[in-house]
Amino acid sequence: MTLYAIAIHGGALTMKPGELSEEEAAFQRVGLGKALHAGWLILNRGGTALDAVEAAVRSLEDNPHFNAGRGSSLTRQGEAEMDAAIMDGRTLQAGAVTGVRYVQHPIGLARAVLERSPHAFLAGDGALEFALACGLPLAAPSYFQTDKTRQQWLALAQQESNQLAGHDTVGAVALDQAGNLAVATSTGGIEGQAKGRVGDSPVLGGGTYASNDSCAVSCTGDGEVILRGALAHEVCALVKYQGLPLAEACQAALRLHDDKLKGDKGFIALDPQGRVAIEFNTNVMRRAYRVGEAAPYIAIYQDE
């Protein structure tokens, strides 16, 4: 039987008991299942890992219950500034965008950068101009402002401390039937973040990395912490150079410089043998995976 697999995440976060309502958790489980199926179906039909991770993340970007695309957090100015990255483990080609506004699917823009630009990373107005040149779908600012994100923004605006909150991300890793890996990550950032802030998600090696000679990794959690540790690449390096099994590599990266890199961290990873690893230090990690024809696994809480 030809091997193929996909794993996705909808963000890792430390939450107080009862903070995530049963209704919201149910919506998120449905969203995870839908996104997982979108990517898995492509793999099952012999499609590429790159197409599969884009499809899965695009589904999550369309879902207002996740912090990416439609459900993005808002900056201090009340705007959605989105980041995304996608990487092909076969070729090491990649596309990344940051500070994106108006683009309905930031992951689609990242894919366009990978395939249609001589550059690997575009930002702000330059990324928007490229989206216009590519004819990608745009949306009005109101599209990215849900009732939930507006309420969160208003609550933060009334605080004198400008305290930041929330750092969910969505991502996917996949192995296709040709033996190739790919990764995609997308985020709306942190609630109340400064205009122009860049987290780990669009940074290759920071929160997103894939190489056929090691693994594919998508990170979630405190972006500044993950970025300073270059944790996605750290996982790949531990697999490639130290020969650690995938789960052990993720665990080691999770503990890396723990005294200096304190904060929420979560990884989904996949290797060329179809082994899935999901490691995190939070009590909530929206996650799902499916290997070949096996039944899908979907979970939200730490003890599932």
Side-chain angles (χ1 to χ4, degrees):
M1 180 181 294
T2 304
L3 184 67
Y4 59 96
I6 183 169
I8 67 172
H9 72 77
L13 193 65
T14 300
M15 304 185 78
K16 298 176 182 177
E19 189 175 351
L20 182 64
S21 70
E22 292 184 9
E23 181 183 31
E24 180 62 22
F27 280 129
Q28 292 179 3
R29 288 183 194 275
V30 170
L32 288 168
K34 183 177 179 181
L36 184 70
H37 184 70
W40 177 87
L41 197 59
I42 290 171
L43 298 172
N44 178 257
R45 293 172 175 173
T48 68
L50 204 61
D51 285 343
V53 294
E54 182 187 4
V57 168
R58 182 180 290 257
S59 177
L60 293 168
E61 287 179 340
D62 283 336
N63 192 322
H65 297 281
F66 297 94
N67 179 17
R70 177 85 172 91
S72 291
S73 295
L74 303 180
T75 67
R76 291 177 188 171
Q77 291 76 23
E79 302 169 334
E81 285 191 356
M82 300 164 287
D83 302 335
I86 189 167
M87 187 168 185
D88 185 340
R90 180 180 67 88
T91 64
L92 300 188
Q93 292 294 312
V97 293
T98 188
V100 173
R101 299 173 61 194
Y102 312 121
V103 178
Q104 192 169 342
H105 293 112
I107 198 62
L109 177 55
R111 177 73 181 269
V113 171
L114 183 156
E115 294 182 335
R116 302 166 64 177
S117 170
H119 309 301
F121 204 153
L122 295 178
D125 290 344
L128 178 58
E129 288 180 10
F130 186 71
L132 290 167
C134 292
L136 299 182
L138 305 181
S142 59
Y143 171 83
F144 304 99
Q145 297 176 358
T146 66
D147 289 341
K148 176 184 176 182
T149 57
R150 277 192 293 267
Q151 290 170 6
Q152 290 170 334
W153 179 78
L154 286 170
L156 284 172
Q158 292 169 1
Q159 295 179 3
E160 295 181 1
S161 62
N162 285 326
Q163 181 179 358
L164 301 176
H167 38 247
D168 294 353
T169 306
V170 307
V173 292
L175 171 70
D176 62 31
Q177 296 188 38
N180 296 314
L181 294 167
V183 59
T185 311
S186 182
T187 186
I190 302 175
E191 298 162 15
Q193 68 182 22
K195 188 176 183 66
R197 177 258 181 185
V198 181
D200 67 296
S201 299
V203 178
L204 304 174
T208 302
Y209 202 77
S211 177
N212 277 9
D213 63 8
S214 54
C215 58
V217 185
S218 178
C219 302
T220 176
D222 285 312
E224 278 71 13
V225 170
I226 294 167
L227 183 58
R228 287 189 285 119
L231 294 185
H233 190 270
E234 186 73 24
V235 173
C236 294
L238 289 167
V239 170
K240 182 176 180 179
Y241 299 113
Q242 290 197 15
L244 292 185
L246 188 63
E248 290 184 24
C250 288
Q251 292 163 9
L254 200 64
R255 298 190 300 267
L256 179 71
H257 301 307
D258 217 14
D259 57 331
K260 303 180 183 70
L261 301 176
K262 296 179 180 179
D264 292 346
K265 289 170 274 188
F267 312 130
I268 58 169
L270 185 59
D271 69 14
Q273 289 72 46
R275 290 182 288 248
V276 175
I278 302 177
E279 301 291 337
F280 51 97
N281 65 357
T282 60
N283 61 351
V284 170
M285 172 74 163
R286 297 96 167 179
R287 60 203 187 273
Y289 68 84
R290 189 171 186 182
V291 179
E293 299 283 351
Y297 165 87
I298 301 172
I300 290 180
Y301 300 105
Q302 182 181 35
D303 56 359
E304 291 187 73

